[in-house]
Amino acid sequence: MKLFEYEGKELFAGAGIAVPEGVVVESIAELERIKFVDPGIRRGRDTIPGSGELEFPLVVKAQVLSGKRGKRGLVKKVSDRQVLEREVEGMLGREVDGEKIEKVLVVEAVEIERELFVSVTYSTKSRGPVCLFSVGGGVEVEEGLSVSEMPISISNDEFLISKQIPNFNEQISKQLDEVVNKLWRLFRDRDLFLAEINPLAVTKEGKLVALDAKVVTDDAANFRQKWELPERNMLGKAKSWAELETEKIDAEDHRGVVGRVYLDLPGDIGVIAAGGGASLVAMDAMMGFGLAPANYTEFSGNPPAWKVKRLSEIVMAKENLRGVMLVGGKANFTDQMETLSGFAEVLREKKPRYPIVVRRDGPRMSEAKQMLIDLASELGLRLEVYDEATPIVEAIGKLNEMVGGADAG
Amino acid sequence: MLDKLDKNTQVIVQGITGKEGQRVTEFMLAMGVKVVAGVRPGKAGEKVMSVPVFDSVADARAEFPEAVVGCVYVPPQLVLGAFVEALEAGMKLLHIIGEGVPVRDTAEMIALAREKQVQIIGPSSLGLVVPEEFKLGQLMGVENSSVTPGPIGIVSRSGGMSSEMANMLTRAGIGQSMVVHVGGDFLVGTTPAEVLLAMEADSRTEKVLMVGEVGGGYEREVVEIIKKGKFSKPLVVFIAGAFVESLPQQVPLGHAGAIIQGEADTRQGKIKMLEEVGVKVVERMDEIVALLQ
C-alpha cells in the first residue's frame, strides 16, 4: 500500500529521522489546532514533535498519492494566516487525477542549503535491497540527475553510506550515515517496498531534514505487520462500493483468489478476467479496438462457483453497461464448469440484454461451453462462448462487433 | 541444472499433505515424474497417492539421497522456513508456488541460494515442464495436451500465458523443448535471462519465445546476455501491458511484477532496447506462430 506523505513522515519520525514540524487538517476549522508561534522565538531551536506549534512561513501540501505536486500547484508557501486559509480552502476537495484532496499537511518552511535524494527499495538487477542516492534532490532527480545505486545485503544490520561514497561532504557525512541507516532499518523491519526521501534537505543550520516521504508497504507481509491506516484503493481514492464488496469475497473462503484486484474505471464494458497474464493481453486488445473498460478485476486459482458468482454480480451491478466479457487463457487446473456456473447463475438472474463474450479454456471447458450455450438459447441472451481455438484478440473483436464498435455508446 | 531435467529426475514435495501439495503430486505423477517422497512434520509414515511422507526434508533425503529437486507447497508465511530446511538438507533446485511471499523473504531466499549455489524457480510460479519427460509443479495441469516435444523453449512471467503460448504452438504443430514459468513476483529466484542461458546450453532448444510484461527490469538482463554473446539462439519476445500504462498511477495488475520503476521498464522502453540487439518483438499474439515455424 502506498502511504500519504504525512503517514510516511510519521513513520520516519518514529524511526528517528527528522521531519519538519507539521499539522494535518481536513477542514479550515481544524487550522485551530495549530498554535501559531511568533517569528524568531524558536527558529533553529528543537521543538517537541507533535506539539502543533508552527511558525510562519509555512508550506501547505496537498495529501495525494500522485507525484509532481509542485508543478501542479499542490505545494504552496504562505507567510500569513489569511493566505494560509485561502490556500487550504483552495486545495481541500479539489480533484487530481480522479483523487479527491481530503487532507492537507501544513508544515514549517525550512531554510534549505542544499537538497539530496535518498531511497531504499528492491532492485530486479541485484535482486535484493538497494540504496539509491543523489547529490541533488527534488525534481532534479525526476529530470534525470544521476543516481548511484548501492546494493545492500539483506542480512546487514547496518548500512553506512559513507563507506560507499567516501568523498562526500565531510560535515554532513556522519549525519547522512545515521539517516540512511535508520531508513534502511525501517525499510527492513517494517517490510517496506519503498522508503524514499526526496528531498532530504541540508538546512542552513547544517541539519538533515526529510521534506517529503514516499513510502510503499509490502502487502504480502501484512500477516506480520500491523498498519493502522485508513482504507484506500490502488489509485488513492476512498474505496467504492464495488471495491469494498469484492474485498469481502476472499475473506469468507480461501479457495481461489477472487476480486483481490478491483478497479472502477470510466468505461462501459464490464470485465471479469481470469488469470494474470492473459488478462493483460485481453485488456490490451480491448484498448486496441477502442473499447473502454467499466472496471478491471480478476480471479485465479480454483475458486468455488459462489465466489465467481459474487464477483460477476458486482461487475454487472454497474449501470449503463454496453457489454460484458469474461476472458482468460487456457487454465492449468481451474475447473471451468465450476467457475463458469457461477457466472451463468448471474446471467439467469439478471438476463442482461447487452452482448456477452466468454473466452476461456481448461479442465471441463466443453461441458461449461455447452451449459452456457444452452442457457443463452433458453433465455435468449446475446452470448458467444469461445475456447482455445479462438485467440483472445479475436474473441474481443467479436465483442467489439456485437456492441457496435467503440463509438456506438 | 534446468537442462539436466529428464525422466530420471527424482522429486520431493514439501507440504505434500495439503490440498495444493496433493494436487501438484497428482499432476506430476500423471506425467510419470518420479515423486519419491513428501514432507509434512508429524505425518511420517503416511502416504499421499503412493508417495511416502517424512517428517523432514533431511529424513526424506536419507532415504532418497539422489533426490535434490523439490517443490515447496506451504502457506506463504512458512515458505522461508521450509526453504531454509530444504537448503540445509542439501536440495539443489526448488520450485516455490507460494503466492504472496513477502518480498523481504524472497530477497533472503535469493541471497541464501546464491551462497549455497541452489536454484529457485518462483515464488508465485506454476513450475516448469519438459514435454513427455519431466514436470516440476502444476504447469499444464493434469492432462498435458497443451504441450508436445519439439524445438521451442518458452519462458514467461505468467503461468496462464505459459500454457496459452504452449497450447498455441502445439495446435500449430510446433513442439516445445521446455516451458518455464519463472513467477510473477517482483523478485524471482531464476530470472528469464537465467532461463535463456539454460536454454542456450540445452541441445533440445533451437529457438525461444519469451513473454514479457510491463514493469520490472528483467528484460534489461536479457539484453545484456545477448550483447555479451552468452545467448545466441533466435529469440521472439511478446510484451503485453498497454492497458496498465494507460492507468494514471502505478497499479500492480496481473502480477506484482508489473510495477513500472523507470523509463526502461515501460513497454515501449523494453521494446526499443530488445530490438536494438536484434530480438524480434511482437505485440500481437497471432504474429508469433509464423516467426517460430
Side-chain angles (χ1 to χ4, degrees):
Chain A
M1 179 153 55
K2 209 167 171 181
L3 303 195
F4 288 105
E5 177 194 0
Y6 75 93
E7 295 167 334
K9 279 182 167 169
E10 278 168 22
L11 261 189
F12 287 175
I17 297 168
V19 298
E21 186 60 39
V23 172
V24 183
V25 298
E26 289 182 45
S27 65
I28 293 285
E30 284 187 356
L31 288 173
E32 291 307 322
R33 293 199 347 247
I34 300 175
K35 300 183 194 83
F36 294 97
V37 181
D38 288 337
I41 288 191
R42 38 156 282 230
R43 175 66 66 198
R45 264 189 278 160
D46 288 337
T47 54
I48 307 153
S51 66
E53 288 184 5
L54 297 183
E55 176 186 320
F56 284 106
L58 301 174
V59 183
V60 182
K61 306 178 85 177
Q63 297 300 291
V64 287
L65 296 177
S66 48
K68 300 200 171 71
R69 286 177 300 172
K71 283 183 182 163
R72 297 155 130 174
L74 300 175
V75 177
K76 287 282 170 68
K77 194 167 176 176
V78 296
S79 50
D80 63 54
R81 178 92 190 237
Q82 209 183 345
V83 186
L84 168 68
E85 284 183 13
R86 199 174 64 214
E87 292 296 351
V88 170
E89 190 156 30
M91 282 184 203
L92 283 174
R94 234 176 95 183
E95 273 206 14
V96 186
D97 275 347
E99 186 186 352
K100 196 172 158 198
I101 303 173
E102 284 172 349
K103 292 184 174 75
V104 297
L105 175 63
V106 181
V107 289
E108 279 188 351
V110 169
E111 288 185 86
I112 302 166
E113 184 72 35
R114 70 181 293 185
E115 292 184 341
L116 307 170
F117 165 89
V118 59
S119 180
V120 182
T121 187
Y122 287 98
S123 158
T124 53
K125 205 157 125 196
S126 61
R127 274 183 286 153
V130 285
C131 173
L132 306 172
F133 178 76
S134 176
V135 294
V139 289
E140 285 175 278
V141 173
E142 279 156 29
E143 283 164 1
L145 182 74
S146 82
V147 171
S148 343
E149 189 172 326
M150 294 156 274
I152 307 176
S153 165
I154 188 84
S155 55
N156 267 15
D157 221 29
E158 190 170 69
F159 175 73
L160 297 180
I161 195 168
S162 63
K163 290 193 177 156
Q164 311 281 327
I165 310 172
N167 297 322
F168 186 69
N169 190 328
E170 246 176 59
Q171 278 161 334
I172 56 166
S173 113
K174 194 164 166 267
Q175 271 194 75
L176 188 63
D177 267 346
E178 278 176 24
V179 170
V180 176
N181 194 38
K182 281 171 180 168
L183 194 66
W184 156 240
R185 285 187 185 169
L186 176 72
F187 173 86
R188 188 198 53 186
D189 296 344
R190 297 304 314 269
D191 275 296
L192 303 182
F193 187 81
L194 173 71
E196 181 171 299
I197 309 176
N198 184 27
L200 175 65
V202 182
T203 66
K204 283 258 180 335
E205 294 83 21
K207 287 187 175 167
L208 290 182
V209 180
L211 296 194
D212 200 354
K214 203 169 165 190
V215 174
V216 179
T217 66
D218 178 10
D219 292 345
N222 284 352
F223 64 84
R224 64 183 174 212
Q225 298 288 352
K226 289 279 167 282
W227 296 104
E228 281 167 20
L229 302 166
E231 292 271 327
R232 72 208 59 187
N233 77 359
M234 285 180 291
L235 298 175
K237 292 178 278 189
K239 285 185 179 171
S240 68
W241 169 82
E243 284 159 346
L244 290 168
E245 286 300 307
T246 48
E247 226 169 51
K248 292 178 195 160
I249 302 176
D250 274 354
E252 290 174 46
D253 189 327
H254 70 280
R255 291 170 293 168
V257 174
V258 178
R260 188 171 293 172
V261 176
Y262 185 99
L263 287 174
D264 266 318
L265 296 167
D268 49 19
I269 307 292
V271 176
I272 303 158
S279 322
L280 294 184
V281 171
M283 297 310 280
D284 283 2
M286 269 185 84
M287 291 186 61
F289 285 111
L291 294 175
N295 70 286
Y296 176 80
T297 191
E298 54 191 38
F299 70 89
S300 60
N302 209 3
W306 79 262
K307 287 178 98 172
V308 178
K309 181 187 178 200
R310 185 69 194 123
L311 186 68
S312 309
E313 274 169 359
I314 295 165
V315 169
M316 291 195 266
K318 212 158 191 178
E319 280 171 26
N320 305 320
L321 288 180
R322 285 206 296 145
V324 162
M325 66 169 194
L326 188 154
V327 63
K330 184 174 182 183
N332 291 287
F333 53 79
T334 311
D335 184 333
Q336 300 307 313
M337 191 59 193
E338 178 77 16
T339 48
L340 291 175
S341 295
F343 181 65
E345 278 180 53
V346 184
L347 297 182
R348 181 173 286 285
E349 284 165 18
K350 285 190 82 89
K351 300 181 188 62
R353 302 325 304 165
Y354 47 71
I356 298 147
V357 165
V358 173
R359 194 282 184 188
R360 190 72 168 128
D361 213 316
R364 293 174 76 198
M365 182 61 197
S366 49
E367 230 176 293
K369 189 175 176 181
Q370 197 52 52
M371 176 268 298
L372 285 169
I373 290 168
D374 292 346
L375 183 75
S377 73
E378 183 196 329
L379 302 176
L381 301 175
R382 294 167 67 197
L383 170 75
E384 295 288 336
V385 190
Y386 300 102
D387 57 20
E388 61 175 354
T390 307
I392 291 174
V393 180
E394 219 171 276
I396 290 163
K398 182 67 192 173
L399 177 67
N400 183 49
E401 234 171 71
M402 288 165 77
V403 301
D407 302 324
Chain B
M1 179 105 220
L2 292 186
D3 55 317
K4 308 278 190 298
L5 302 170
D6 59 25
K7 281 193 167 78
N8 300 315
T9 309
Q10 298 182 358
V11 175
I12 295 173
V13 178
Q14 282 175 270
I16 194 166
T17 57
K19 198 172 140 276
E20 295 266 321
Q22 288 186 31
R23 187 170 63 197
V24 72
T25 304
E26 181 199 340
F27 289 176
M28 288 190 283
L29 290 174
M31 203 177 176
V33 174
K34 289 184 172 143
V35 183
V36 293
V39 174
R40 168 68 164 82
K43 299 222 171 155
E46 290 186 13
K47 280 196 171 182
V48 172
M49 281 166 275
S50 80
V51 179
V53 180
F54 295 82
D55 277 340
S56 68
V57 183
D59 287 356
R61 291 260 297 128
E63 196 76 21
F64 299 96
E66 301 290 302
V68 291
V69 174
C71 293
V72 180
Y73 275 70
V74 300
Q77 58 269 39
L78 303 179
V79 164
L80 177 59
F83 174 80
V84 170
E85 184 196 335
L87 214 65
E88 284 168 355
M91 300 293 279
K92 290 292 168 204
L93 173 65
L94 290 160
H95 153 59
I96 299 173
I97 171 74
E99 224 179 315
V101 178
V103 63
R104 188 178 89 193
D105 293 2
T106 302
E108 276 188 39
M109 290 192 283
I110 291 171
L112 288 168
R114 275 193 188 129
E115 206 182 297
K116 308 254 173 166
Q117 310 251 304
V118 167
Q119 185 162 20
I120 301 170
I121 301 286
S124 288
S125 161
L126 292 183
L128 59 89
V129 170
V130 180
E132 288 181 10
E133 285 277 331
F134 184 72
K135 175 184 296 201
L136 187 62
Q138 45 194 349
L139 200 56
M140 311 298 162
V142 75
E143 49 150 338
N144 299 304
S145 62
S146 295
V147 286
T148 182
I152 308 296
I154 298 177
V155 53
S156 169
R157 295 269 281 153
S158 151
M161 288 305 285
S162 303
S163 44
E164 183 76 19
M165 291 292 178
N167 185 52
M168 184 178 74
L169 295 183
T170 295
R171 294 176 61 84
I174 307 170
Q176 307 89 40
S177 55
M178 195 192 309
V179 184
V180 184
H181 174 216
V182 295
D185 278 4
F186 185 77
L187 296 185
V188 289
T190 295
T191 62
E194 287 169 331
V195 175
L196 291 188
L197 293 177
M199 286 174 173
E200 179 83 7
D202 174 33
S203 59
R204 296 168 290 204
T205 306
E206 286 170 24
K207 294 178 185 174
V208 178
L209 168 62
M210 180 170 115
V211 184
E213 251 180 2
V214 289
Y218 292 117
E219 278 83 357
R220 221 170 318 192
E221 200 189 347
V222 170
V223 168
E224 268 166 45
I225 61 166
I226 293 171
K227 271 188 187 161
K228 289 179 184 157
K230 290 181 184 168
F231 180 79
S232 60
K233 293 182 179 176
L235 175 64
V236 173
V237 174
F238 169 72
I239 295 186
F243 165 68
V244 177
E245 287 185 345
S246 76
L247 296 170
Q249 289 173 52
Q250 292 186 347
V251 179
L253 292 185
H255 303 104
I259 297 170
I260 299 167
Q261 281 197 321
E263 186 61 30
D265 292 346
T266 63
R267 192 160 134 277
Q268 284 311 321
K270 286 182 176 182
I271 291 172
K272 188 164 163 271
M273 198 167 65
L274 288 162
E275 281 179 343
E276 277 168 6
V277 293
V279 174
K280 183 73 198 160
V281 182
V282 298
E283 298 186 59
R284 291 173 48 133
M285 270 177 71
D286 51 3
E287 296 170 72
I288 294 170
V289 166
L291 289 166
L292 293 173
Q293 250 149 1

